[in-house]
Amino acid sequence: MRATLLLFLLCGVSPAATPSEIRLWPNGAPGSEGKTGAEVVEAPNKDHGYLKVTGVHQPSLTVYLPPAGKASGAAMIIAPGGGHAFLNFDQEGTYVAEYLNSIGVAGFVLKYRLAREPGSTYKVEEHALADAQRAIRLLRGRAAEWSLNPARIGIMGFSAGGEVAALAATRFDAGKPDAADVIDRPSSRPDFDALIYPGIRANTYTIPKDMPVTFLLCADNDRGPSTALSALYPMLKAAGIQTEVHVYATGGHGFGINPNTKNPSPAATTWQLRLGDWLKQIGMLP
């Protein structure tokens, strides 16, 4: 108990008010027509130690807002990982949002459609990417509702969610000012992005000249992501994209923010402090 409390104090995390959940498409997501299966939420148990979400057909954002007196106006969309088969919704979602709230950043945890769930007809580069783009547009279009600065909307992702965030950070558009759906009018370009042990292959990405400032983090003993980031960073450097990179010696994969972690590595216990430092450095925090 004392170790758990200490980690929460170190992370700056405190219990939050009951969050609200907002569907990205209130009348149904394009590509999910006819899919009526219920979303499944499983509490941590003997088979998995995290809050597990599957069966996402109505993509949504779960809203975590910082105290009004602490809010910076910045917001981060958070895409949990899970191999595109499920979402690790607390360790790579809600706990992250709570940490962000503690430093004045609004957190919006994204439930995106899962392309590798058994029987799924969804595609990462079509449906999951569309969910991320829609989330960015929604925050920008409804910024006043949550006291957000529409020029301070970012996205971050973990593992498979890192792939979703990387796609959103490299494939965006200026929006459609005359669209009938007002949410389609703002740009889908994030103002900043953070890829945490992302499940990507760098050679599949084209870096646009106006890609947002980027934060990269993984552990060296997490072979796939560390190999990917070692290839991605030179690409970002060549394109002139301002980038910060952290590669911890150890930590493995999937550490997220976990108040019950038994992993003593700094990657698993204090990495989020580096994210907070970076957000301040790029002007997202006072």
Side-chain angles (χ1 to χ4, degrees), residues 43-105:
N45 57 44
K46 62 182 178 61
D47 296 320
H48 54 80
Y50 49 83
L51 186 65
K52 182 178 182 180
V53 175
T54 54
V56 178
H57 301 303
Q58 294 291 344
S60 67
L61 289 170
T62 301
V63 182
Y64 286 77
L65 299 178
K70 199 167 192 176
S72 66
M76 185 82 88
I77 294 160
I78 305 159
H84 297 292
F86 62 90
L87 300 176
N88 180 340
F89 203 70
D90 53 0
Q91 296 173 12
E92 297 176 346
T94 62
Y95 292 153
V96 180
E98 289 171 352
Y99 168 71
L100 290 170
N101 282 182
S102 78
I103 61 172
V105 178

Side-chain angles (χ1 to χ4, degrees), residues 140 153 166-175 187-193 206-214 235-236 238-243:
R140 193 159 278 139
I153 308 298
L167 288 168
T170 54
R171 302 184 189 181
F172 46 81
D173 61 61
S187 169
S188 64
R189 178 187 180 275
D191 297 301
F192 51 97
D193 68 283
T206 299
I207 308 301
K209 60 179 176 50
D210 54 345
M211 182 176 172
V213 294
T214 298
M235 295 167 62
L236 296 172
I241 308 304
Q242 181 184 326
T243 307

Side-chain angles (χ1 to χ4, degrees), residues 18-278:
T18 303
S20 60
E21 185 172 357
I22 298 171
R23 285 187 176 183
L24 297 180
W25 285 274
N27 297 320
S32 290
E33 294 85 357
K35 297 181 185 295
T36 58
E39 186 175 285
V40 179
V41 179
E42 299 176 58
N45 57 44
K46 62 182 178 61
D47 296 320
H48 54 80
Y50 49 83
L51 186 65
K52 182 178 182 180
V53 175
T54 54
V56 178
H57 301 303
Q58 294 291 344
S60 67
L61 289 170
T62 301
V63 182
Y64 286 77
L65 299 178
K70 199 167 192 176
S72 66
M76 185 82 88
I77 294 160
I78 305 159
H84 297 292
F86 62 90
L87 300 176
N88 180 340
F89 203 70
D90 53 0
Q91 296 173 12
E92 297 176 346
T94 62
Y95 292 153
V96 180
E98 289 171 352
Y99 168 71
L100 290 170
N101 282 182
S102 78
I103 61 172
V105 178
F108 294 79
V109 188
L110 177 65
K111 288 181 181 174
Y112 56 90
R113 287 169 285 182
L114 300 167
R116 299 191 185 114
E117 189 174 15
S120 175
T121 60
Y122 297 128
K123 297 178 181 178
V124 176
E125 296 189 14
E126 182 178 347
H127 302 97
L129 173 57
D131 298 342
Q133 292 171 327
R134 177 76 173 185
I136 294 166
R137 297 189 208 276
L138 188 148
L139 292 197
R140 193 159 278 139
R142 296 173 59 178
E145 181 178 334
W146 296 298
S147 299
L148 307 179
N149 183 332
R152 294 185 178 185
I153 308 298
I155 187 167
M156 71 183 297
F158 298 78
S159 193
E163 181 179 12
V164 176
L167 288 168
T170 54
R171 302 184 189 181
F172 46 81
D173 61 61
K176 301 175 182 178
D178 58 348
D181 185 342
V182 295
I183 300 303
D184 287 335
R185 295 175 187 174
S187 169
S188 64
R189 178 187 180 275
D191 297 301
F192 51 97
D193 68 283
L195 310 182
I196 313 300
Y197 47 82
I200 62 172
R201 294 192 304 275
N203 62 3
T204 64
Y205 289 83
T206 299
I207 308 301
K209 60 179 176 50
D210 54 345
M211 182 176 172
V213 294
T214 298
F215 179 91
L216 307 174
L217 184 143
C218 70
D220 185 63
N221 65 342
D222 188 8
R223 183 175 179 180
S226 61
T227 299
L229 294 192
S230 69
L232 181 62
Y233 176 62
M235 295 167 62
L236 296 172
K237 188 74 171 175
I241 308 304
Q242 181 184 326
T243 307
E244 181 164 324
V245 185
H246 294 269
V247 180
Y248 288 84
T250 62
H253 190 76
F255 43 82
I257 292 180
N258 179 4
N260 300 308
T261 187
K262 294 179 174 59
N263 185 341
S265 168
T269 54
T270 61
W271 72 266
Q272 64 273 16
L273 304 182
R274 308 290 77 77
L275 177 70
D277 291 341
W278 175 73

